[in-house]
Amino acid sequence: MTSRINSPMIVVSNRLPFILKRNQDGVLERHHSAGGLVTAVAPVVIANRGTWVGWPGIQMNSESEAIPEASADDKSPTSGLKSEQVECVTVAKELFDPYYNGCCNGTFWPLMHSMPDRAVFSAETYDAYRKVNEVFAQRTVMALKKCLAKLDAEGHMDVAPLVWIHDYQLMLAATMVRRACEEEGLRCKMSFFHHIPFPAWDIMRLFPWDDEILEGILGCDLVGFHIDDYCINFLDCCQRRLGCRVDRTRFLLELDGRTIHVKSLPIGIPYDHFAEMGRSAPKILKEKNQKIILGVDRLDYTKGLVNRVKAFERLLEKHPEHVEKVTFFQVAVPSRQDVKEYQQLKEEMDQLIGRINGRFSKPNWSPIRYIFGCISQEQLSAFYRDSAVAIVTPLRDGMNLVAKEFVACQDLSDPGVLMLSPFAGAGGTMQEALIVNPYELDDVAEKMHRALEMPFDERLLRMKHLQRREKLNDVNFWVSSFLQAMGMLPCDLNNNAHN
Ligand code: GDG
């Protein structure tokens, strides 16, 4: 069900909800980029005559180069998004690289995941970050002006568009937009959602320009995080660094006479979609008498892949009864391959897996199957459904959607077991999973053993609870909760809402 709101929504994210590619003749074409966020938010933007501001994933020929309409056979959630509803951000490669690979992936990603030793602090890349945020803010203001002109022409002077900015790539944009709005007398409500963890003050203060980042986010009226812990860290940083007055029970803070709401809004998945995929995906795993332990992640050092593989080696050492009976299947999606840390991680994984396979393989069995690449969602759903165990053991993770998708795809006639790290946002709510500390390799190995041996009744009980919670708290619920928090109730919930 699509949430209808009374105000147009302007979504701002680093990436547009589709990718643009040039065909052989140099003509731009839209390509679908899958993801729960796009599936849930795009229909709201479409239904409410909103706009999506973002980078198209390609260098455009000029700022005015036209965005193509969706092709007639496009069945994706963004097919209804007209080109006039897209505000394309174009940034020269020389600026985009230090912004994206340098500051976003080289500084904020490790810092926010509390891995400061991996973070590079550079005035140069941070300057690129500032400039690119300014470009996003300008495009957002352009979108806002168009939106307001339409509303005013229709006599809706009392309606304020909602600007919804996403993630750590755009932490300065809100304040830049707010400044422009104040100067030019534009009305809007602004919100920010942070998809990754927000670290403790001790970590955040290592960043030399931390005050600017905090003030940047505080340009919003509502700041959302996945879980309370991140909200508390953020409030703490604002109080200690900026001297804001903070209400820790109601998650409010004050800056320059404005009140900002901070709220935990845990993201969900398109549950029914994955449940249906779980029912309909054809069987792929053909091995008889083989149990699969499944891992699915972007190849990222935050996801704890090396620890996981080492723990699997210990399982085979300590419980040799699993040799030839269990296969560890890891899908590692290539990510940020321009960044050195990620290239090194790939090499480490290649060597580790090669060594373990060399050590334990038999003529008809290898302990680890490893895909460095992406598989289709249909294949992914079949793997989710047919694996005995899913192992989701990040060292730190904002939420983690793989844990939720695995649950949605389970067939209760033979449910699998979810192993989950407490350092993922999901670890806080999915209590019926086997919670395991990814740093404690022996315990991970023991819990793998326990998961593989778990009796049917226990698997069923755990999975039923997990499924019920994820179905209720799906991604549509997340979007409605967000809009509700912005004081813009979907009209079926709010009789006073405008239509
Ligand atoms: C960030 C935060 C937060 C993976 N492999 C394949 C594939 N995937 C899809 C999964 C899932 C998504 O990628 C991964 O989502 P995660 O949540 O696990 O991780 P991040 O990409 O790091 O996301 C995270 C999230 O934002 C949302 O706020 O939960 O904490 O880091 O949807 O299905 N999809 C296909 N083939 C693959 O091989 N088709």
Side-chain angles (χ1 to χ4, degrees):
M1 186 192 67
T2 302
S3 299
R4 290 193 58 84
I5 49 170
N6 47 344
S7 301
M9 181 154 77
I10 299 169
V11 176
V12 191
S13 61
N14 181 54
R15 288 280 191 149
L16 282 174
F18 51 76
I19 300 166
L20 287 185
K21 288 188 182 159
R22 280 185 203 285
N23 68 14
Q24 286 167 335
D25 306 322
V27 178
L28 288 175
E29 286 173 349
R30 286 194 199 189
H31 288 256
H32 180 42
S33 62
L37 178 73
V38 170
T39 314
V41 178
V44 184
V45 175
I46 292 163
N48 297 287
R49 305 176 307 157
T51 310
W52 203 306
V53 182
W55 179 64
I58 193 177
Q59 216 53 43
M60 303 290 278
N61 286 338
S62 74
E63 273 202 13
S64 53
E65 188 174 7
I67 307 266
E69 296 294 346
S71 62
D73 58 350
D74 186 346
K75 301 271 182 300
S76 73
T78 55
S79 59
L81 197 67
K82 302 260 170 274
S83 61
E84 66 194 28
Q85 293 179 282
V86 176
E87 203 63 62
C88 196
V89 173
T90 49
V91 180
K93 194 174 162 15
E94 306 78 66
L95 187 59
F96 197 83
D97 276 352
Y99 149 76
Y100 188 64
N101 289 326
C103 196
C104 295
N105 296 335
T107 308
F108 289 130
W109 181 263
L111 187 78
M112 298 279 168
H113 285 85
S114 300
M115 299 180 175
D117 289 352
R118 291 183 183 265
V120 177
F121 299 126
S122 143
E124 201 184 324
T125 60
Y126 182 55
D127 194 46
Y129 183 86
R130 276 198 201 99
K131 288 184 175 137
V132 173
N133 269 248
E134 190 63 59
V135 179
F136 272 84
Q138 283 165 6
R139 300 301 284 204
T140 306
V141 172
M142 276 172 62
L144 181 60
K145 283 182 181 166
K146 283 186 203 163
C147 207
L148 287 168
K150 243 190 254 166
L151 285 170
D152 290 355
E154 291 165 4
H156 296 307
M157 276 77 165
D158 54 338
V159 177
L162 166 60
V163 175
W164 188 4
I165 301 171
H166 287 266
D167 227 359
Y168 67 101
Q169 297 93 353
L170 299 172
M171 292 184 287
L172 298 176
T175 287
M176 293 168 171
V177 173
R178 176 170 293 278
R179 230 174 269 147
C181 287
E182 280 166 6
E183 278 167 22
E184 300 188 47
L186 308 172
R187 64 184 186 278
C188 73
K189 289 193 184 189
M190 256 193 301
S191 55
F192 176 79
F193 190 80
H194 193 76
H195 288 262
I196 64 175
F198 199 88
W201 160 237
D202 245 12
I203 301 282
M204 193 59 200
R205 68 195 297 203
L206 301 175
F207 183 65
W209 306 276
D210 57 344
D211 53 339
E212 243 182 86
I213 292 296
L214 297 168
E215 279 168 358
I217 296 174
L218 291 177
C220 285
D221 307 291
L222 171 71
V223 183
F225 297 95
H226 287 304
I227 58 171
D228 282 357
D229 285 350
Y230 309 154
C231 295
I232 292 165
N233 286 345
F234 180 71
L235 289 170
D236 201 32
C237 288
C238 292
Q239 185 176 41
R240 299 182 75 164
R241 183 68 176 96
L242 305 179
C244 293
R245 272 182 46 192
V246 166
D247 178 337
R248 281 163 192 269
T249 23
R250 290 187 297 161
F251 283 12
L252 301 174
L253 57 84
E254 250 179 47
L255 181 75
D256 301 336
R258 281 192 310 117
T259 302
I260 294 110
H261 294 245
V262 177
K263 195 167 168 50
S264 64
L265 291 154
I267 198 167
I269 55 158
Y271 186 94
D272 293 338
H273 167 73
F274 274 98
E276 179 48 36
M277 295 286 281
R279 281 190 289 272
S280 59
K283 217 169 163 48
I284 306 172
L285 298 166
K286 298 271 190 286
E287 293 91 339
K288 291 205 176 91
N289 306 323
Q290 274 285 316
K291 283 188 175 171
I292 303 289
I293 300 179
L294 177 71
V296 178
D297 309 77
R298 275 185 310 99
L299 187 60
D300 193 298
Y301 52 80
T302 59
K303 302 286 182 183
L305 291 167
V306 169
N307 291 25
R308 190 184 299 171
V309 175
K310 286 182 177 165
F312 181 66
E313 182 179 26
R314 288 204 194 173
L315 173 79
L316 298 179
E317 282 167 1
K318 291 169 124 190
H319 295 282
E321 66 269 29
H322 294 304
V323 170
E324 291 186 276
K325 297 279 188 302
V326 174
T327 304
F328 176 40
F329 202 126
Q330 177 67 52
V331 180
V333 180
S335 178
R336 306 174 190 174
Q337 287 300 296
D338 297 341
V339 181
K340 199 177 79 211
E341 308 260 344
Y342 289 76
Q343 295 162 1
Q344 286 169 346
L345 177 62
K346 177 173 184 303
E347 273 174 29
E348 190 178 0
M349 285 290 283
D350 286 351
Q351 282 179 14
L352 188 62
I353 291 169
R355 185 179 62 69
I356 297 171
N357 273 345
R359 180 175 169 201
F360 289 97
S361 284
K362 304 280 181 206
N364 288 317
W365 174 82
S366 290
I368 305 178
R369 279 167 70 183
Y370 177 54
I371 297 181
F372 174 63
C374 203
I375 58 177
S376 72
Q377 204 176 64
E378 196 179 49
Q379 290 169 327
L380 182 64
S381 305
F383 283 139
Y384 282 148
R385 183 195 57 210
D386 296 332
S387 296
V389 179
I391 178 151
V392 181
T393 46
L395 306 179
R396 188 80 53 162
D397 208 337
M399 174 56 77
N400 195 292
L401 302 178
V402 168
K404 294 173 180 247
E405 293 165 3
F406 171 73
V407 163
C409 286
Q410 289 307 296
D411 172 0
L412 291 182
S413 70
D414 186 14
V417 179
L418 174 64
M419 291 178 65
L420 185 56
S421 161
F423 312 126
T429 50
M430 301 178 83
Q431 308 112 355
E432 299 81 5
L434 270 189
I435 303 293
V436 60
N437 180 340
Y439 292 96
E440 211 184 335
L441 300 192
D442 284 323
D443 191 49
V444 180
E446 276 314 308
K447 292 239 168 74
M448 280 179 178
H449 176 65
R450 190 172 152 207
L452 289 163
E453 304 283 300
M454 191 179 281
F456 173 81
D457 287 353
E458 185 180 347
R459 284 188 276 136
L460 182 64
L461 193 62
R462 287 175 185 267
M463 194 48 70
K464 267 188 178 169
H465 283 292
L466 287 166
Q467 286 195 336
R468 188 175 312 135
R469 187 181 305 107
E470 293 314 318
K471 187 171 167 57
L472 278 175
N473 299 293
D474 71 352
V475 74
N476 293 322
F477 177 77
W478 177 71
V479 173
S480 326
S481 308
F482 194 89
L483 298 173
Q484 206 169 335
M486 281 300 283
M488 294 190 169
L489 287 168
C491 59
D492 52 335
L493 297 177
N494 178 2
N495 296 329
N496 301 322
H498 297 266
N499 273 307

